[in-house]
């Protein structure tokens, strides 16, 4: 077994074992905000066969990148009887356990070349540092962004190789390299296009160095062309920046309707600490879980990244400084998200929704590359000399690397903490508690829906109480398949006024127009004070207008008999 294969296998086993330990059953779902949307997309693909990113989940959102959801649904269609939840969990495991460490290995090989130690370490570091691939499983759950992060190292590796040497290899090879970069960028974008913002951030130092290389080459061949490119490029950049600044100032600083202070104020955008604390947490690779609790520092990786930064700065080669610059740029975005709520921080982090977890999810990418570069440099510079003088050092280094790998997988308090957080994310609510969304009884009620509600009929309910998972768990279409979106008149009015079904003719008109025959009551919202839930405060059962059909615990399915609907 090659070192690269051994590293990938160990990383895959570690991730799979931790997921299985944290999640009792693949049929369980992550009970958080974004899961409702993503899980229902997968179920809709399975039920309808419609898998276009241009019609992701009507009427909530049409255009949305759903490559991960397509992959999950494909698994369910290949293995008959697979639930949407199990398909999503299985797809996540494939991405996290196999594709993620392999993609980071690809990036490290493009930067460092093939070395036994770095080939073994790269996939392992992807799995064990900064909560590994579990961060966006616990938070969101951001399946699409996670999938984009998984593919991102491949695009970064291709960009690194092309900018370093590929553009000099003739028109054919340079053009082929650009084609592969375009394919990788498209793959990332189809998972989630906003991940490319992180990709551009990490690739920026490489691209800047490449531009200077090109300008130097042009200057040697033609000074006139060089000056023309400098002037033309400066004018284009200045014009684009001026236009962007002007539009932003008019919309978010001077406009009366969209001031920047009124945006990016939700929970994910709120700072969790002050700037010095955020800097230290980023430097040590210490994430927070979905309850904003900082996880333990995994000191072996923390020592490695600090040591790698020191080595890179001491060596100050082109490669090492580009890696340090990428690490710093990512840190600036993270710290601005986590450490302050100033308007300048909102401007700087808007492309990441000022959500600290989105940039931090890329920490293992740049950290693994930086650590492996430093290790590779030390081995290349001093390894042969040490082995020549003391042949036994090779065995000692091998034992130390294997010991680190096993310890990182088996004795990792940071991953242990994240595993507990993931377990809570998948866990059921206790008794009649409203948070998290589903109790066992409510989950079982959703499982019964395909036997209670005829196929093709939609069910009205407050999606914030867990019934939003109706399509993903019960294979029946909810009238509100996500918690919040730009609702049309019918959705908005009905949510606010369903309680007046026996007195408001507009409510009846909406029910008849949409042929709504069912109402599912599953208790209160898991986030009753969220401003986005206010519109659903008008939803509740109305005696006489609704007749109970089935009950599981406190979950009750009603048939709507008012408004002239058939019994």
């Amino acid at each position: 077994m090659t070192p690269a294969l051994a590293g990938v296998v160990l990383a895959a086993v570690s991730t799979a074992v931790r997921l299985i330990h944290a999640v009792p059953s693949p049929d369980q779902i992550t009970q958080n905000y974004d899961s409702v949307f993503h899980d229902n997309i997968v179920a809709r693909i399975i039920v309808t066969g419609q898998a276009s990113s241009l019609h992701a989940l009507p009427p909530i959102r049409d255009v949305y990148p759903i490559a991960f959801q397509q992959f999950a649904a494909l698994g369910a269609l290949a293995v008959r009887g697979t639930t949407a939840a199990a398909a999503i969990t299985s797809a996540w495991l494939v991405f996290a356990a196999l594709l993620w460490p392999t993609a980071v290995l690809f990036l490290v090989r493009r930067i460092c070349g093939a070395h036994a130690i770095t080939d073994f370490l790269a996939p392992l570091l992807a799995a064990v540092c900064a909560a590994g691939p579990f961060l966006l499983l616990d938070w969101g759950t951001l399946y699409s962004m996670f999938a984009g992060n998984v593919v991102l190292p491949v695009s970064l590796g291709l960009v690194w190789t092309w900018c370093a040497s590929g553009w000099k290899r003739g028109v054919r090879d340079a053009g082929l390299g650009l084609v592969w970069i375009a394919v990788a960028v498209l793959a990332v974008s189809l998972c989630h296009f906003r991940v490319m913002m992180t990709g551009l951030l990490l690739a920026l130092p490489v691209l800047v160095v490449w531009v200077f290389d090109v300008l130097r080459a042009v200057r040697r061949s033609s000074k006139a062309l060089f000056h023309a490119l400098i002037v033309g490029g400066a004018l284009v950049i200045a014009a684009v920046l001026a236009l962007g600044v002007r539009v932003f100032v008019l919309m978010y600083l001077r406009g009366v309707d969209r001031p920047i202070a009124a945006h990016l104020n939700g929970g994910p955008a709120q700072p969790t600490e002050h700037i010095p604390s955020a800097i230290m947490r980023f430097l040590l690779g210490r994430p927070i879980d979905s309850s904003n609790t900082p996880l333990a520092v995994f000191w072996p990786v923390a020592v490695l990244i600090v040591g790698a930064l020191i080595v890179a700065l001491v060596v100050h080669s082109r490669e090492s400084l580009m890696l340090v610059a990428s690490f710093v740029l990512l840190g600036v975005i993270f710290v601005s998200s986590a450490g302050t709520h100033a308007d300048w921080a909102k401007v700087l982090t808007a492309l990441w929704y000022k959500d600290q977890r989105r940039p931090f999810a890329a920490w293992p990418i740049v950290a693994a590359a930086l650590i492996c570069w430093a290790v590779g440099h030390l081995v290349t510079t001093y390894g042969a000399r040490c082995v020549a003088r003391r042949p036994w050092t090779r065995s000692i280094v091998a034992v130390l690397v294997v010991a680190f790998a096993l310890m990182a997988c088996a004795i990792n308090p940071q991953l242990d903490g994240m595993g507990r957080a993931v377990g809570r994310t998948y866990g059921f609510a206790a008794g009649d508690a409203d948070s998290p969304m589903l109790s066992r009884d409510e989950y079982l009620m959703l499982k019964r829906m395909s036997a209670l509600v005829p196929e093709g009929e939609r069910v009205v309910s407050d999606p914030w109480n867990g019934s939003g998972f109706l399509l993903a768990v019960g294979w029946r279409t909810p009238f509100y398949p996500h918690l919040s979106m730009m609702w049309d008149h019918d959705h908005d009015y009905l949510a606010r006024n369903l309680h007046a079904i026996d007195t408001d003719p507009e409510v009846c008109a909406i029910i008849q127009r949409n042929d709504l025959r069912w109402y599912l009551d599953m208790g209160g919202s898991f986030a009753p004070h969220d401003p986005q839930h206010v519109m659903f405060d008008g939803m509740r059962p109305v005696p006489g207008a609704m007749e109970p059909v089935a009950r599981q615990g406190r979950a009750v399915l009603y048939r709507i008999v008012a408004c002239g609907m058939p019994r």
Side-chain angles (χ1 to χ4, degrees):
M1 182 181 290
T2 65
L5 180 59
V8 171
V9 169
L10 187 58
V13 170
S14 173
T15 299
V17 168
R18 288 187 176 276
L19 179 69
I20 292 170
H21 183 262
V23 183
S25 168
D27 279 334
Q28 288 184 227
I29 52 180
T30 53
Q31 297 200 46
N32 41 34
Y33 186 99
D34 289 285
S35 297
V36 175
F37 177 69
H38 295 296
D39 289 20
N40 282 338
I41 289 177
V42 174
R44 180 176 181 272
I45 295 173
I46 296 171
V47 170
T48 67
Q50 171 58 260
S52 171
S53 292
L54 300 179
H55 304 285
L57 191 63
I60 306 308
R61 174 169 288 182
D62 284 327
V63 180
Y64 193 84
I66 58 171
F68 175 85
Q69 292 85 346
Q70 292 166 343
F71 185 84
L74 186 64
L77 293 171
V79 182
R80 290 189 175 277
T82 303
T83 64
I88 292 170
T89 303
S90 301
W92 184 91
L93 185 59
V94 170
F95 273 73
L98 296 177
L99 301 184
W100 170 240
T102 304
V104 173
L105 171 63
F106 178 88
L107 172 63
V108 168
R109 274 204 168 185
R110 291 288 173 141
I111 295 173
C112 305
H115 301 285
I117 292 180
T118 55
D119 281 359
F120 180 71
L121 283 178
L124 183 75
L125 288 170
V128 302
C129 67
F134 292 96
L135 181 64
L136 297 184
L137 181 64
D138 176 53
W139 176 252
T141 291
L142 302 179
Y143 290 111
S144 294
M145 184 153 282
F146 163 72
N149 273 328
V150 167
V151 183
L152 182 60
V154 176
S155 66
L156 292 173
L158 293 172
V159 169
W160 182 286
T161 302
W162 192 86
C163 290
S165 59
W167 67 282
K168 304 175 184 176
R169 295 177 180 172
V171 175
R172 180 179 179 277
D173 288 347
L176 187 60
L178 286 176
V179 169
W180 279 113
I181 290 173
V183 170
V185 169
L186 179 63
V188 173
S189 300
L190 289 175
C191 291
H192 200 299
F193 52 85
R194 282 191 180 264
V195 175
M196 280 312 305
M197 302 302 104
T198 304
L200 288 173
L201 185 75
L202 297 181
L204 184 60
V206 181
L207 296 174
V208 169
V209 170
W210 171 74
V211 168
F212 278 99
D213 286 344
V214 171
L215 289 176
R216 276 194 292 265
V218 171
R219 186 177 185 180
R220 286 193 296 267
S221 61
S222 172
K223 288 189 177 181
L225 179 59
F226 170 78
H227 290 302
L229 286 175
I230 290 292
V231 174
L235 290 175
V236 169
I237 292 173
V240 172
L241 287 177
L243 178 62
V245 169
R246 178 65 174 168
V247 171
F248 184 85
V249 168
L250 291 176
M251 291 183 64
Y252 291 102
L253 299 183
R254 295 182 180 174
V256 296
D257 296 327
R258 304 186 69 184
I260 188 65
H263 288 261
L264 297 174
N265 294 317
Q270 293 296 322
T272 54
E273 60 219 295
H274 49 78
I275 287 179
S277 173
I279 292 174
M280 185 59 64
R281 197 154 60 78
F282 181 82
L283 180 62
L284 299 179
R286 188 186 188 192
I288 59 176
D289 63 20
S290 55
S291 64
N292 291 343
T293 302
L295 300 180
V297 177
F298 185 52
W299 286 107
V301 168
V303 170
L304 283 177
I305 189 62
V306 172
L309 287 167
I310 293 172
V311 172
L313 292 173
V314 170
V315 174
H316 62 271
S317 66
R318 168 188 286 209
E319 291 78 10
S320 68
L321 293 181
M322 286 191 295
L323 288 170
V324 170
S326 294
F327 187 79
V328 170
L329 287 174
L330 188 68
V332 168
I333 299 300
F334 169 81
V335 171
S336 301
S337 300
T340 178
H341 204 52
D343 286 352
W344 64 263
K346 293 183 178 183
V347 174
L348 198 61
T349 63
L351 294 174
W352 291 267
Y353 302 106
K354 202 180 177 294
D355 180 355
Q356 60 175 285
R357 295 168 180 85
R358 296 173 190 255
F360 197 83
W363 195 93
I365 298 175
V366 65
L370 191 53
I371 291 171
C372 288
W373 177 89
V375 170
H377 172 80
L378 294 175
V379 169
T380 302
T381 305
Y382 304 105
R385 192 184 311 167
C386 290
V387 171
R389 293 179 180 177
R390 303 175 183 83
W392 44 268
T393 56
R394 185 192 300 271
S395 299
I396 290 180
V397 170
V399 170
L400 289 176
V401 170
V402 172
F404 165 77
L406 295 176
M407 178 188 64
C409 292
I411 310 173
N412 191 324
Q414 188 177 94
L415 280 179
D416 292 342
M418 182 52 74
R420 290 189 292 272
V422 169
R424 291 191 295 271
T425 299
Y426 275 90
F428 288 116
D432 290 337
D434 291 327
S435 180
M437 298 187 213
L438 292 174
S439 66
R440 284 181 170 82
D441 280 334
E442 291 165 345
Y443 178 83
L444 292 174
M445 183 65 171
L446 294 183
K447 296 283 284 186
R448 296 170 56 193
M449 293 300 287
S450 59
L452 297 170
V453 176
E455 186 174 356
E457 296 190 5
R458 291 181 291 177
V459 179
V460 179
S461 64
D462 175 1
W464 290 72
N465 62 22
S467 57
F469 288 111
L470 176 58
L471 181 57
V473 178
W475 304 111
R476 290 298 178 262
T477 304
F479 193 57
Y480 299 92
H482 193 24
L483 306 188
S484 178
M485 197 48 65
M486 298 296 293
W487 303 108
D488 59 21
H489 167 76
D490 284 5
H491 285 82
D492 183 87
Y493 193 91
L494 187 64
R496 298 179 188 277
N497 299 282
L498 180 65
H499 64 282
I501 186 174
D502 50 355
T503 59
D504 189 337
E506 179 61 14
V507 172
C508 280
I510 292 171
I511 288 175
Q512 292 170 350
R513 186 160 56 241
N514 294 277
D515 195 24
L516 302 174
R517 307 184 182 196
W518 306 92
Y519 175 73
L520 179 60
D521 179 36
M522 288 179 31
S525 166
F526 82 106
H529 303 298
D530 193 301
Q532 294 177 320
H533 178 260
V534 171
M535 66 172 283
F536 292 99
D537 285 344
M539 280 199 165
R540 53 179 174 268
V542 180
M546 305 175 185
E547 293 181 349
V549 173
R551 183 185 300 271
Q552 183 86 36
R554 67 170 180 172
V556 183
L557 175 67
Y558 294 89
R559 183 189 300 276
I560 297 175
V561 296
C563 305
M565 301 303 291
R567 293 180 179 271

